[in-house]
Amino acid sequence: DKKLIIGIIAGVLLTIGLIAAILVARFKNEENLKKEKPVDYGESYERFNEEEALKIIGLYFDNINEKNIDALKDICYSPAMLKTIAVQNEVEENKVLESLKESLEGTSLVYKELKISSHKAYLDVYVESMNKDIEAASGVSNSISDMYEVRVNYFRSAEIGWEEKSDTLIMYVTDGKYHILVGAEG
């Protein structure tokens, strides 16, 4: 019954090989996902200017309510980012802004007590990847210095009174100016 024993051993070795392959693939996938997940440590994390970020988020919320596309353009898009989003979506820059304007129709955002509850920084490898995309589309190199995931809490006016809300925004920094990333969905 050597054939049976050899068959069992081959089956066990095959199973072990498959498990090892799955574990390696899973590890590599987790490593790639880690590149896209923001962290709460490092130089970029420490550079976060909460006061400046909160000011920009307040302006963002105010101008959403006022439907002020000119102000939102400056809040959301550095010139290189606007061009990149337009190129990636194969539209003119004014179409990106029209899309933003359309997304605001029927939106009302009356809020109070806006505060940042937490922030995390994207790793340099992710920022570099974004910068490569921006350079390919706009010709501008090293456009973004830092990127953050910012959690904000506030109270929003609702039919029943003030409703407690929490949102997560993606912010990026270009030439020391904070922006809120919108319209990058492909």
Side-chain angles (χ1 to χ4, degrees), residues 38 122 147-150 168-172 179-182:
Y122 282 88
M147 284 186 72
Y148 300 101
E149 180 182 272
V150 181
T168 300
L169 302 170
I170 305 299
M171 300 189 81
Y172 65 99
H179 297 276
I180 295 173
L181 184 61
V182 297

Side-chain angles (χ1 to χ4, degrees), residues 7 35 51 61 70 176:
K35 293 176 187 174
E51 186 178 309
F61 280 14
D70 290 333

Side-chain angles (χ1 to χ4, degrees), residues 84-95:
T84 299
I85 291 171
V87 167
Q88 288 178 342
N89 289 286
E90 299 177 357
V91 297
E92 298 294 320
E93 290 178 17
N94 64 339
K95 292 290 184 190

